[in-house]
Amino acid sequence: MKTSKLVIGILSIIMFVIVSMQSCAVGIGNALSESEEISGSAGFLLAICLLVAGIIGICVKNSTKKGPYVAGGFYIFGAIIAYCNIGTYSDLGVWAFISFAFGLVFIVPNFIHNRKQKQVNNNE
């Protein structure tokens, strides 16, 4: 699981660059067309969440304490923000789904591991 968390962290940092560039372009397009959409801004918030979660995920890849929950929380928070603000920026739904999946990869295995540790400690 350590390797997958490291790979996800690196992919998140790469995705930050892609999503932020797309979001800036969409934001400029929204401003020039004078629309009331904020999908470009939501995309940039998702990009920031991907960057923060990726850095945290790389730093806590060996941890089973609260670090993976924090990284997963940033992934899921960014996904929720993005899902709520999909407009003309339809790629935002794809990036939000990937972010949500990354969040689950950090939270679910950590939750299962901690639960097993509690059962082992209770049996002793």
Side-chain angles (χ1 to χ4, degrees):
M1 210 62 202
K2 296 176 200 174
T3 307
S4 63
K5 289 180 181 180
L6 177 65
V7 169
I8 287 174
I10 293 169
L11 285 175
S12 296
I13 294 170
I14 294 168
M15 282 175 52
F16 161 75
V17 174
I18 296 167
V19 174
S20 62
M21 296 257 190
Q22 282 185 341
S23 299
C24 287
V26 170
I28 290 171
N30 287 342
L32 291 176
S33 67
E34 296 179 1
S35 67
E36 299 294 322
E37 290 188 14
I38 58 170
S39 58
S41 300
F44 194 72
L45 285 174
L46 173 63
I48 296 295
C49 287
L50 284 170
L51 178 65
V52 171
I55 292 170
I56 292 171
I58 290 171
C59 292
V60 301
K61 69 180 185 288
N62 297 328
S63 176
T64 58
K65 305 234 187 264
K66 297 195 186 329
Y69 290 121
V70 174
F74 272 104
Y75 282 123
I76 292 174
F77 175 72
I80 291 170
I81 294 282
Y83 274 132
C84 291
N85 294 302
I86 295 174
T88 56
Y89 182 21
S90 59
D91 290 353
L92 194 57
V94 174
W95 299 124
F97 177 78
I98 292 171
S99 179
F100 187 78
F102 285 177
L104 290 180
V105 168
F106 272 87
I107 291 175
V108 172
N110 197 45
F111 179 76
I112 291 170
H113 179 266
N114 289 340
R115 193 162 185 165
K116 285 181 182 177
Q117 286 295 329
K118 284 182 184 178
Q119 289 177 352
V120 168
N121 290 339
N122 287 340
N123 290 339
E124 290 178 358

